[in-house]
Amino acid sequence: FTLLLASTDEYQLLQPLRDRMRLTLRFEFYKPEDLQKIASHRAAALGWQVEEEVFRQAAIRSRNTPRLVLRLLQAGHRVARAEAADVITVAHLERACGLEGIDELGLGPMEQQYLRILLEGPTRLNMLASRLGLPSRTVAEVTEPFLIRAGLVVKDEQGRRQLTAEGREHIV
């Protein structure tokens, strides 16, 4: 008998269950080069003609996640089709991202608003959540992880969120 478990948060599992696992594997986020290959393979499989730079730009905006790079490629394809173009260009990808409010780092409107709030100074999670109109748990588990991983936001000793120099430069 073999039991395989998969979780995005192993600490949500009970300790006795974790103790019984003989092998624990942790996956890393994808590198932009790998995401470019994934997008390139998908475009080839679908018979789409795409400028090489589109793959690079989509990979940068994908937050190191394959499903997002493929979603951005699809969005660029929709814009190209709407304009009756045979080749997906960077301009098509940028228009698609503009329609969705996605910036050059892949941040959506909510993440951009989060960073603008932090421009005012260090802020506690509950205050951020109130100003964003989201539950605190959603902000902590959905909005913040990429911003922290990307080095745009840090938490201080009191748990307040604040912008890093990179975060300030990005939002200004």
Side-chain angles (χ1 to χ4, degrees), residues 41-96:
H41 289 299
R42 175 63 61 93
L46 295 172
W48 296 347
Q49 293 180 357
V50 183
E51 288 180 354
E52 281 298 313
E53 182 63 13
V54 170
F55 300 129
R56 192 177 81 72
Q57 290 295 322
I60 290 169
R61 294 174 192 234
S62 71
R63 302 175 180 208
N64 309 93
T65 307
R67 66 182 154 68
L68 295 180
V69 78
L70 296 175
R71 187 174 140 266
L72 290 171
L73 182 64
Q74 177 73 37
H77 178 255
R78 282 193 304 272
V79 170
R81 281 188 39 211
E83 296 178 1
D86 294 329
V87 178
I88 303 169
T89 65
V90 173
H92 294 128
L93 178 65
E94 288 175 353
R95 275 196 285 288

Side-chain angles (χ1 to χ4, degrees), residues 111 114 118 123-125 128 136 138-150 153 155 159-161:
E111 291 89 3
Y114 177 103
L118 290 183
T123 309
R124 291 199 171 280
L125 175 61
L128 276 165
S136 297
T138 300
V139 173
E141 295 178 9
V142 178
T143 306
E144 287 183 338
F146 177 75
L147 297 173
I148 292 170
R149 196 172 67 243
V153 174
K155 296 179 192 177
R160 294 176 301 187
R161 281 70 172 156

Side-chain angles (χ1 to χ4, degrees), residues 96-103 107-109 112:
C97 289
L99 289 170
E100 295 184 37
I102 297 172
D103 69 13
L107 304 182
Q112 294 169 34

